[in-house]
mmCIF file of all heavy atoms in Angstrom:
data_model
loop_
_atom_site.group_PDB
_atom_site.id
_atom_site.type_symbol
_atom_site.label_atom_id
_atom_site.label_comp_id
_atom_site.label_asym_id
_atom_site.label_seq_id
_atom_site.Cartn_x
_atom_site.Cartn_y
_atom_site.Cartn_z
ATOM 1 N N TRP U 11 -29.490 13.025 66.543
ATOM 2 C CA TRP U 11 -30.360 12.152 67.358
ATOM 3 C C TRP U 11 -31.710 12.815 67.561
ATOM 4 O O TRP U 11 -31.798 13.987 67.899
ATOM 5 C CB TRP U 11 -29.655 11.881 68.681
ATOM 6 C CG TRP U 11 -30.481 11.174 69.693
ATOM 7 C CD1 TRP U 11 -31.357 11.735 70.582
ATOM 8 C CD2 TRP U 11 -30.501 9.779 69.957
ATOM 9 N NE1 TRP U 11 -31.909 10.788 71.378
ATOM 10 C CE2 TRP U 11 -31.414 9.545 71.044
ATOM 11 C CE3 TRP U 11 -29.840 8.670 69.413
ATOM 12 C CZ2 TRP U 11 -31.660 8.298 71.548
ATOM 13 C CZ3 TRP U 11 -30.094 7.409 69.925
ATOM 14 C CH2 TRP U 11 -31.004 7.228 70.976
ATOM 15 N N ARG U 12 -32.763 12.067 67.341
ATOM 16 C CA ARG U 12 -34.119 12.590 67.515
ATOM 17 C C ARG U 12 -34.924 11.631 68.395
ATOM 18 O O ARG U 12 -34.775 10.433 68.313
ATOM 19 C CB ARG U 12 -34.831 12.758 66.169
ATOM 20 C CG ARG U 12 -34.216 13.814 65.273
ATOM 21 C CD ARG U 12 -35.141 14.142 64.108
ATOM 22 N NE ARG U 12 -35.473 12.957 63.320
ATOM 23 C CZ ARG U 12 -36.133 13.020 62.166
ATOM 24 N NH1 ARG U 12 -36.545 14.195 61.699
ATOM 25 N NH2 ARG U 12 -36.420 11.920 61.499
ATOM 26 N N TRP U 13 -35.807 12.262 69.187
ATOM 27 C CA TRP U 13 -36.709 11.457 70.018
ATOM 28 C C TRP U 13 -37.915 11.066 69.150
ATOM 29 O O TRP U 13 -38.787 11.879 68.858
ATOM 30 C CB TRP U 13 -37.155 12.232 71.243
ATOM 31 C CG TRP U 13 -36.089 12.334 72.262
ATOM 32 C CD1 TRP U 13 -35.248 13.382 72.478
ATOM 33 C CD2 TRP U 13 -35.722 11.331 73.229
ATOM 34 N NE1 TRP U 13 -34.373 13.104 73.494
ATOM 35 C CE2 TRP U 13 -34.649 11.842 73.980
ATOM 36 C CE3 TRP U 13 -36.193 10.049 73.526
ATOM 37 C CZ2 TRP U 13 -34.026 11.121 75.010
ATOM 38 C CZ3 TRP U 13 -35.599 9.334 74.546
ATOM 39 C CH2 TRP U 13 -34.527 9.891 75.257
ATOM 40 N N GLU U 14 -37.931 9.827 68.697
ATOM 41 C CA GLU U 14 -39.008 9.314 67.853
ATOM 42 C C GLU U 14 -39.375 7.933 68.353
ATOM 43 O O GLU U 14 -38.825 7.431 69.324
ATOM 44 C CB GLU U 14 -38.585 9.293 66.378
ATOM 45 C CG GLU U 14 -37.276 8.581 66.160
ATOM 46 C CD GLU U 14 -36.729 8.769 64.759
ATOM 47 O OE1 GLU U 14 -37.302 9.610 64.022
ATOM 48 O OE2 GLU U 14 -35.743 8.118 64.416
ATOM 49 N N HIS U 15 -40.342 7.291 67.682
ATOM 50 C CA HIS U 15 -40.832 6.003 68.146
ATOM 51 C C HIS U 15 -39.707 4.973 68.236
ATOM 52 O O HIS U 15 -39.611 4.224 69.231
ATOM 53 C CB HIS U 15 -41.923 5.501 67.195
ATOM 54 C CG HIS U 15 -43.186 6.302 67.241
ATOM 55 N ND1 HIS U 15 -43.374 7.426 66.451
ATOM 56 C CD2 HIS U 15 -44.290 6.177 68.004
ATOM 57 C CE1 HIS U 15 -44.555 7.947 66.716
ATOM 58 N NE2 HIS U 15 -45.142 7.215 67.654
ATOM 59 N N LYS U 16 -38.871 4.911 67.219
ATOM 60 C CA LYS U 16 -37.771 3.945 67.241
ATOM 61 C C LYS U 16 -36.848 4.152 68.444
ATOM 62 O O LYS U 16 -36.445 3.184 69.119
ATOM 63 C CB LYS U 16 -36.976 4.023 65.949
ATOM 64 C CG LYS U 16 -35.837 3.053 65.848
ATOM 65 C CD LYS U 16 -35.137 3.127 64.501
ATOM 66 C CE LYS U 16 -34.378 4.422 64.353
ATOM 67 N NZ LYS U 16 -33.584 4.464 63.109
ATOM 68 N N THR U 17 -36.548 5.411 68.709
ATOM 69 C CA THR U 17 -35.648 5.749 69.831
ATOM 70 C C THR U 17 -36.277 5.353 71.174
ATOM 71 O O THR U 17 -35.636 4.736 72.027
ATOM 72 C CB THR U 17 -35.334 7.237 69.815
ATOM 73 O OG1 THR U 17 -34.774 7.587 68.561
ATOM 74 C CG2 THR U 17 -34.383 7.597 70.933
ATOM 75 N N VAL U 18 -37.541 5.703 71.344
ATOM 76 C CA VAL U 18 -38.224 5.438 72.612
ATOM 77 C C VAL U 18 -38.333 3.928 72.865
ATOM 78 O O VAL U 18 -38.007 3.439 73.949
ATOM 79 C CB VAL U 18 -39.618 6.079 72.627
ATOM 80 C CG1 VAL U 18 -40.411 5.648 73.861
ATOM 81 C CG2 VAL U 18 -39.497 7.600 72.579
ATOM 82 N N PHE U 19 -38.752 3.175 71.845
ATOM 83 C CA PHE U 19 -38.872 1.723 72.032
ATOM 84 C C PHE U 19 -37.499 1.071 72.267
ATOM 85 O O PHE U 19 -37.396 0.116 73.035
ATOM 86 C CB PHE U 19 -39.539 1.092 70.798
ATOM 87 C CG PHE U 19 -41.036 1.258 70.774
ATOM 88 C CD1 PHE U 19 -41.661 1.848 69.679
ATOM 89 C CD2 PHE U 19 -41.827 0.841 71.833
ATOM 90 C CE1 PHE U 19 -43.035 2.011 69.652
ATOM 91 C CE2 PHE U 19 -43.199 1.000 71.822
ATOM 92 C CZ PHE U 19 -43.808 1.574 70.721
ATOM 93 N N SER U 20 -36.467 1.577 71.609
ATOM 94 C CA SER U 20 -35.110 1.031 71.818
ATOM 95 C C SER U 20 -34.667 1.240 73.258
ATOM 96 O O SER U 20 -34.112 0.340 73.896
ATOM 97 C CB SER U 20 -34.131 1.670 70.840
ATOM 98 O OG SER U 20 -34.442 1.362 69.498
ATOM 99 N N LEU U 21 -34.875 2.451 73.771
ATOM 100 C CA LEU U 21 -34.478 2.751 75.135
ATOM 101 C C LEU U 21 -35.281 1.947 76.151
ATOM 102 O O LEU U 21 -34.771 1.492 77.165
ATOM 103 C CB LEU U 21 -34.602 4.249 75.410
ATOM 104 C CG LEU U 21 -33.567 5.145 74.695
ATOM 105 C CD1 LEU U 21 -33.878 6.602 74.915
ATOM 106 C CD2 LEU U 21 -32.160 4.807 75.161
ATOM 107 N N LEU U 22 -36.586 1.783 75.879
ATOM 108 C CA LEU U 22 -37.423 0.976 76.768
ATOM 109 C C LEU U 22 -36.964 -0.483 76.789
ATOM 110 O O LEU U 22 -36.941 -1.124 77.839
ATOM 111 C CB LEU U 22 -38.891 1.062 76.357
ATOM 112 C CG LEU U 22 -39.601 2.390 76.649
ATOM 113 C CD1 LEU U 22 -41.005 2.365 76.064
ATOM 114 C CD2 LEU U 22 -39.651 2.653 78.151
ATOM 115 N N SER U 23 -36.613 -1.001 75.625
ATOM 116 C CA SER U 23 -36.112 -2.373 75.577
ATOM 117 C C SER U 23 -34.778 -2.502 76.312
ATOM 118 O O SER U 23 -34.557 -3.479 77.033
ATOM 119 C CB SER U 23 -35.968 -2.863 74.113
ATOM 120 O OG SER U 23 -34.933 -2.146 73.452
ATOM 121 N N TRP U 24 -33.901 -1.499 76.147
ATOM 122 C CA TRP U 24 -32.615 -1.513 76.853
ATOM 123 C C TRP U 24 -32.855 -1.514 78.357
ATOM 124 O O TRP U 24 -32.200 -2.263 79.106
ATOM 125 C CB TRP U 24 -31.808 -0.277 76.459
ATOM 126 C CG TRP U 24 -30.446 -0.216 77.076
ATOM 127 C CD1 TRP U 24 -29.272 -0.686 76.559
ATOM 128 C CD2 TRP U 24 -30.108 0.353 78.353
ATOM 129 N NE1 TRP U 24 -28.225 -0.466 77.422
ATOM 130 C CE2 TRP U 24 -28.705 0.177 78.545
ATOM 131 C CE3 TRP U 24 -30.830 1.005 79.355
ATOM 132 C CZ2 TRP U 24 -28.037 0.608 79.680
ATOM 133 C CZ3 TRP U 24 -30.165 1.432 80.504
ATOM 134 C CH2 TRP U 24 -28.795 1.246 80.648
ATOM 135 N N LEU U 25 -33.822 -0.730 78.804
ATOM 136 C CA LEU U 25 -34.136 -0.672 80.235
ATOM 137 C C LEU U 25 -34.675 -2.010 80.714
ATOM 138 O O LEU U 25 -34.321 -2.490 81.806
ATOM 139 C CB LEU U 25 -35.158 0.453 80.485
ATOM 140 C CG LEU U 25 -35.575 0.663 81.955
ATOM 141 C CD1 LEU U 25 -34.355 1.059 82.792
ATOM 142 C CD2 LEU U 25 -36.640 1.762 82.030
ATOM 143 N N ALA U 26 -35.536 -2.654 79.927
ATOM 144 C CA ALA U 26 -36.099 -3.956 80.320
ATOM 145 C C ALA U 26 -34.993 -5.008 80.464
ATOM 146 O O ALA U 26 -34.967 -5.764 81.436
ATOM 147 C CB ALA U 26 -37.123 -4.414 79.279
ATOM 148 N N PHE U 27 -34.072 -5.044 79.517
ATOM 149 C CA PHE U 27 -32.984 -6.022 79.587
ATOM 150 C C PHE U 27 -32.024 -5.693 80.725
ATOM 151 O O PHE U 27 -31.483 -6.601 81.367
ATOM 152 C CB PHE U 27 -32.241 -6.079 78.260
ATOM 153 C CG PHE U 27 -33.055 -6.648 77.136
ATOM 154 C CD1 PHE U 27 -33.179 -5.960 75.929
ATOM 155 C CD2 PHE U 27 -33.696 -7.862 77.284
ATOM 156 C CE1 PHE U 27 -33.932 -6.482 74.892
ATOM 157 C CE2 PHE U 27 -34.457 -8.388 76.248
ATOM 158 C CZ PHE U 27 -34.584 -7.701 75.057
ATOM 159 N N ALA U 28 -31.806 -4.398 80.982
ATOM 160 C CA ALA U 28 -30.931 -4.018 82.116
ATOM 161 C C ALA U 28 -31.563 -4.477 83.436
ATOM 162 O O ALA U 28 -30.850 -5.013 84.313
ATOM 163 C CB ALA U 28 -30.732 -2.492 82.102
ATOM 164 N N VAL U 29 -32.870 -4.284 83.594
ATOM 165 C CA VAL U 29 -33.560 -4.730 84.792
ATOM 166 C C VAL U 29 -33.483 -6.248 84.920
ATOM 167 O O VAL U 29 -33.252 -6.796 86.005
ATOM 168 C CB VAL U 29 -35.019 -4.267 84.770
ATOM 169 C CG1 VAL U 29 -35.830 -4.946 85.883
ATOM 170 C CG2 VAL U 29 -35.096 -2.738 84.920
ATOM 171 N N LEU U 30 -33.631 -6.967 83.799
ATOM 172 C CA LEU U 30 -33.566 -8.423 83.814
ATOM 173 C C LEU U 30 -32.186 -8.900 84.248
ATOM 174 O O LEU U 30 -32.084 -9.785 85.127
ATOM 175 C CB LEU U 30 -33.892 -8.971 82.445
ATOM 176 C CG LEU U 30 -33.760 -10.483 82.246
ATOM 177 C CD1 LEU U 30 -34.690 -11.231 83.196
ATOM 178 C CD2 LEU U 30 -34.046 -10.871 80.802
ATOM 179 N N LEU U 31 -31.139 -8.342 83.689
ATOM 180 C CA LEU U 31 -29.792 -8.766 84.044
ATOM 181 C C LEU U 31 -29.444 -8.403 85.471
ATOM 182 O O LEU U 31 -28.786 -9.158 86.186
ATOM 183 C CB LEU U 31 -28.779 -8.156 83.065
ATOM 184 C CG LEU U 31 -28.833 -8.716 81.630
ATOM 185 C CD1 LEU U 31 -27.921 -7.934 80.713
ATOM 186 C CD2 LEU U 31 -28.463 -10.189 81.597
ATOM 187 N N LEU U 32 -29.883 -7.205 85.914
ATOM 188 C CA LEU U 32 -29.633 -6.789 87.287
ATOM 189 C C LEU U 32 -30.391 -7.703 88.263
ATOM 190 O O LEU U 32 -29.852 -8.120 89.301
ATOM 191 C CB LEU U 32 -30.049 -5.337 87.476
ATOM 192 C CG LEU U 32 -29.865 -4.749 88.886
ATOM 193 C CD1 LEU U 32 -28.373 -4.760 89.242
ATOM 194 C CD2 LEU U 32 -30.425 -3.333 88.949
ATOM 195 N N GLY U 33 -31.643 -7.983 87.945
ATOM 196 C CA GLY U 33 -32.434 -8.879 88.806
ATOM 197 C C GLY U 33 -31.835 -10.276 88.871
ATOM 198 O O GLY U 33 -31.845 -10.910 89.927
ATOM 199 N N ARG U 34 -31.296 -10.733 87.748
ATOM 200 C CA ARG U 34 -30.646 -12.062 87.728
ATOM 201 C C ARG U 34 -29.387 -12.060 88.587
ATOM 202 O O ARG U 34 -29.169 -13.006 89.365
ATOM 203 C CB ARG U 34 -30.300 -12.406 86.282
ATOM 204 C CG ARG U 34 -29.406 -13.612 86.085
ATOM 205 C CD ARG U 34 -30.130 -14.889 86.310
ATOM 206 N NE ARG U 34 -29.309 -16.030 85.916
ATOM 207 C CZ ARG U 34 -29.694 -17.295 86.010
ATOM 208 N NH1 ARG U 34 -30.888 -17.562 86.480
ATOM 209 N NH2 ARG U 34 -28.897 -18.273 85.628
ATOM 210 N N ALA U 35 -28.555 -11.008 88.460
ATOM 211 C CA ALA U 35 -27.305 -10.955 89.177
ATOM 212 C C ALA U 35 -27.496 -10.674 90.661
ATOM 213 O O ALA U 35 -26.805 -11.263 91.513
ATOM 214 C CB ALA U 35 -26.391 -9.895 88.555
ATOM 215 N N ARG U 36 -28.457 -9.792 90.978
ATOM 216 C CA ARG U 36 -28.619 -9.354 92.383
ATOM 217 C C ARG U 36 -29.587 -10.214 93.171
ATOM 218 O O ARG U 36 -29.362 -10.505 94.342
ATOM 219 C CB ARG U 36 -29.086 -7.899 92.359
ATOM 220 C CG ARG U 36 -29.144 -7.225 93.727
ATOM 221 C CD ARG U 36 -27.768 -6.960 94.285
ATOM 222 N NE ARG U 36 -27.838 -6.360 95.581
ATOM 223 C CZ ARG U 36 -27.894 -5.035 95.806
ATOM 224 N NH1 ARG U 36 -27.882 -4.205 94.775
ATOM 225 N NH2 ARG U 36 -27.929 -4.564 97.020
ATOM 226 N N PHE U 37 -30.657 -10.636 92.505
ATOM 227 C CA PHE U 37 -31.711 -11.343 93.250
ATOM 228 C C PHE U 37 -31.950 -12.778 92.753
ATOM 229 O O PHE U 37 -32.859 -13.442 93.220
ATOM 230 C CB PHE U 37 -33.032 -10.564 93.152
ATOM 231 C CG PHE U 37 -32.904 -9.125 93.589
ATOM 232 C CD1 PHE U 37 -32.958 -8.098 92.664
ATOM 233 C CD2 PHE U 37 -32.719 -8.815 94.936
ATOM 234 C CE1 PHE U 37 -32.846 -6.768 93.063
ATOM 235 C CE2 PHE U 37 -32.614 -7.494 95.332
ATOM 236 C CZ PHE U 37 -32.653 -6.470 94.411
ATOM 237 N N GLY U 38 -31.159 -13.201 91.773
ATOM 238 C CA GLY U 38 -31.288 -14.555 91.286
ATOM 239 C C GLY U 38 -32.573 -14.847 90.547
ATOM 240 O O GLY U 38 -33.118 -15.955 90.610
ATOM 241 N N TRP U 39 -33.091 -13.854 89.808
ATOM 242 C CA TRP U 39 -34.334 -14.057 89.048
ATOM 243 C C TRP U 39 -34.205 -15.237 88.111
ATOM 244 O O TRP U 39 -33.208 -15.426 87.410
ATOM 245 C CB TRP U 39 -34.656 -12.819 88.249
ATOM 246 C CG TRP U 39 -35.204 -11.687 89.084
ATOM 247 C CD1 TRP U 39 -35.334 -11.646 90.426
ATOM 248 C CD2 TRP U 39 -35.644 -10.422 88.579
ATOM 249 N NE1 TRP U 39 -35.854 -10.437 90.809
ATOM 250 C CE2 TRP U 39 -36.041 -9.655 89.691
ATOM 251 C CE3 TRP U 39 -35.720 -9.852 87.324
ATOM 252 C CZ2 TRP U 39 -36.530 -8.352 89.584
ATOM 253 C CZ3 TRP U 39 -36.202 -8.561 87.185
ATOM 254 C CH2 TRP U 39 -36.601 -7.826 88.320
ATOM 255 N N ARG U 40 -35.272 -16.013 88.012
ATOM 256 C CA ARG U 40 -35.317 -17.161 87.102
ATOM 257 C C ARG U 40 -36.770 -17.555 86.881
ATOM 258 O O ARG U 40 -37.680 -17.000 87.497
ATOM 259 C CB ARG U 40 -34.521 -18.328 87.660
ATOM 260 C CG ARG U 40 -35.045 -18.835 88.986
ATOM 261 C CD ARG U 40 -34.055 -19.785 89.651
ATOM 262 N NE ARG U 40 -33.621 -20.830 88.739
ATOM 263 C CZ ARG U 40 -32.689 -21.717 89.061
ATOM 264 N NH1 ARG U 40 -32.084 -21.645 90.217
ATOM 265 N NH2 ARG U 40 -32.354 -22.655 88.199
ATOM 266 N N GLY U 41 -36.991 -18.501 86.008
ATOM 267 C CA GLY U 41 -38.329 -19.022 85.813
ATOM 268 C C GLY U 41 -39.239 -18.073 85.064
ATOM 269 O O GLY U 41 -38.813 -17.256 84.249
ATOM 270 N N ARG U 42 -40.529 -18.163 85.367
ATOM 271 C CA ARG U 42 -41.542 -17.470 84.594
ATOM 272 C C ARG U 42 -41.390 -15.949 84.650
ATOM 273 O O ARG U 42 -41.550 -15.260 83.639
ATOM 274 C CB ARG U 42 -42.941 -17.832 85.111
ATOM 275 C CG ARG U 42 -43.346 -19.275 84.849
ATOM 276 C CD ARG U 42 -44.761 -19.516 85.310
ATOM 277 N NE ARG U 42 -45.185 -20.891 85.098
ATOM 278 C CZ ARG U 42 -46.394 -21.347 85.397
ATOM 279 N NH1 ARG U 42 -47.275 -20.534 85.969
ATOM 280 N NH2 ARG U 42 -46.698 -22.607 85.158
ATOM 281 N N SER U 43 -41.057 -15.403 85.828
ATOM 282 C CA SER U 43 -40.931 -13.945 85.941
ATOM 283 C C SER U 43 -39.833 -13.419 85.041
ATOM 284 O O SER U 43 -40.012 -12.411 84.336
ATOM 285 C CB SER U 43 -40.652 -13.572 87.404
ATOM 286 O OG SER U 43 -41.708 -13.984 88.233
ATOM 287 N N ALA U 44 -38.679 -14.089 85.038
ATOM 288 C CA ALA U 44 -37.565 -13.662 84.204
ATOM 289 C C ALA U 44 -37.920 -13.784 82.746
ATOM 290 O O ALA U 44 -37.596 -12.906 81.924
ATOM 291 C CB ALA U 44 -36.322 -14.485 84.544
ATOM 292 N N VAL U 45 -38.596 -14.875 82.371
ATOM 293 C CA VAL U 45 -38.984 -15.075 80.970
ATOM 294 C C VAL U 45 -39.955 -14.004 80.503
ATOM 295 O O VAL U 45 -39.857 -13.506 79.374
ATOM 296 C CB VAL U 45 -39.568 -16.482 80.783
ATOM 297 C CG1 VAL U 45 -40.218 -16.629 79.403
ATOM 298 C CG2 VAL U 45 -38.484 -17.543 80.953
ATOM 299 N N ARG U 46 -40.874 -13.603 81.367
ATOM 300 C CA ARG U 46 -41.823 -12.543 80.997
ATOM 301 C C ARG U 46 -41.110 -11.232 80.706
ATOM 302 O O ARG U 46 -41.451 -10.520 79.757
ATOM 303 C CB ARG U 46 -42.865 -12.354 82.098
ATOM 304 C CG ARG U 46 -43.841 -13.504 82.241
ATOM 305 C CD ARG U 46 -44.999 -13.104 83.150
ATOM 306 N NE ARG U 46 -45.868 -14.229 83.445
ATOM 307 C CZ ARG U 46 -45.881 -14.919 84.569
ATOM 308 N NH1 ARG U 46 -45.029 -14.579 85.532
ATOM 309 N NH2 ARG U 46 -46.703 -15.946 84.742
ATOM 310 N N VAL U 47 -40.115 -10.882 81.546
ATOM 311 C CA VAL U 47 -39.364 -9.653 81.293
ATOM 312 C C VAL U 47 -38.587 -9.767 79.993
ATOM 313 O O VAL U 47 -38.518 -8.802 79.214
ATOM 314 C CB VAL U 47 -38.410 -9.363 82.459
ATOM 315 C CG1 VAL U 47 -37.578 -8.112 82.183
ATOM 316 C CG2 VAL U 47 -39.183 -9.200 83.771
ATOM 317 N N LEU U 48 -38.033 -10.945 79.728
ATOM 318 C CA LEU U 48 -37.313 -11.165 78.466
ATOM 319 C C LEU U 48 -38.239 -10.988 77.270
ATOM 320 O O LEU U 48 -37.887 -10.297 76.301
ATOM 321 C CB LEU U 48 -36.696 -12.550 78.447
ATOM 322 C CG LEU U 48 -36.116 -13.064 77.120
ATOM 323 C CD1 LEU U 48 -35.048 -12.101 76.599
ATOM 324 C CD2 LEU U 48 -35.580 -14.457 77.267
ATOM 325 N N TYR U 49 -39.423 -11.578 77.329
ATOM 326 C CA TYR U 49 -40.376 -11.442 76.228
ATOM 327 C C TYR U 49 -40.789 -9.977 76.043
ATOM 328 O O TYR U 49 -40.933 -9.505 74.911
ATOM 329 C CB TYR U 49 -41.629 -12.300 76.506
ATOM 330 C CG TYR U 49 -41.418 -13.766 76.355
ATOM 331 C CD1 TYR U 49 -42.333 -14.687 76.872
ATOM 332 C CD2 TYR U 49 -40.303 -14.279 75.700
ATOM 333 C CE1 TYR U 49 -42.149 -16.045 76.730
ATOM 334 C CE2 TYR U 49 -40.121 -15.650 75.572
ATOM 335 C CZ TYR U 49 -41.036 -16.529 76.078
ATOM 336 O OH TYR U 49 -40.871 -17.891 75.931
ATOM 337 N N ALA U 50 -41.006 -9.274 77.166
ATOM 338 C CA ALA U 50 -41.396 -7.865 77.076
ATOM 339 C C ALA U 50 -40.284 -7.024 76.418
ATOM 340 O O ALA U 50 -40.555 -6.190 75.540
ATOM 341 C CB ALA U 50 -41.725 -7.303 78.453
ATOM 342 N N GLY U 51 -39.041 -7.248 76.840
ATOM 343 C CA GLY U 51 -37.925 -6.521 76.242
ATOM 344 C C GLY U 51 -37.776 -6.848 74.762
ATOM 345 O O GLY U 51 -37.506 -5.931 73.944
ATOM 346 N N ALA U 52 -37.932 -8.132 74.384
ATOM 347 C CA ALA U 52 -37.813 -8.519 72.985
ATOM 348 C C ALA U 52 -38.937 -7.894 72.161
ATOM 349 O O ALA U 52 -38.702 -7.445 71.007
ATOM 350 C CB ALA U 52 -37.856 -10.030 72.864
ATOM 351 N N ALA U 53 -40.137 -7.835 72.698
ATOM 352 C CA ALA U 53 -41.254 -7.211 71.987
ATOM 353 C C ALA U 53 -41.012 -5.712 71.762
ATOM 354 O O ALA U 53 -41.271 -5.175 70.685
ATOM 355 C CB ALA U 53 -42.554 -7.427 72.756
ATOM 356 N N LEU U 54 -40.498 -5.039 72.776
ATOM 357 C CA LEU U 54 -40.173 -3.609 72.632
ATOM 358 C C LEU U 54 -39.080 -3.403 71.600
ATOM 359 O O LEU U 54 -39.148 -2.456 70.795
ATOM 360 C CB LEU U 54 -39.748 -3.045 73.988
ATOM 361 C CG LEU U 54 -40.846 -2.889 75.040
ATOM 362 C CD1 LEU U 54 -40.236 -2.589 76.407
ATOM 363 C CD2 LEU U 54 -41.817 -1.774 74.631
#
């Protein structure tokens, strides 16, 4: 395992999706805010 661009972007995307799912389950995130986080995670 090496810390390189692919690794960093993969972990950042994992973190974005984890935040999105946690926000959905805990705070009921929906609408534009949730979609923006989804787009950001997908881009990463």
Side-chain angles (χ1 to χ4, degrees):
W11 172 274
R12 293 193 304 188
W13 286 98
E14 52 191 8
H15 292 88
K16 181 176 69 173
T17 303
V18 172
F19 281 125
S20 296
L21 289 174
L22 287 175
S23 68
W24 183 92
L25 182 61
F27 292 128
V29 169
L30 175 60
L31 291 173
L32 180 62
R34 169 74 171 180
R36 187 71 181 271
F37 306 108
W39 285 4
R40 61 192 309 174
R42 292 184 181 181
S43 299
V45 169
R46 290 192 187 102
V47 178
L48 169 57
Y49 287 164
L54 289 168

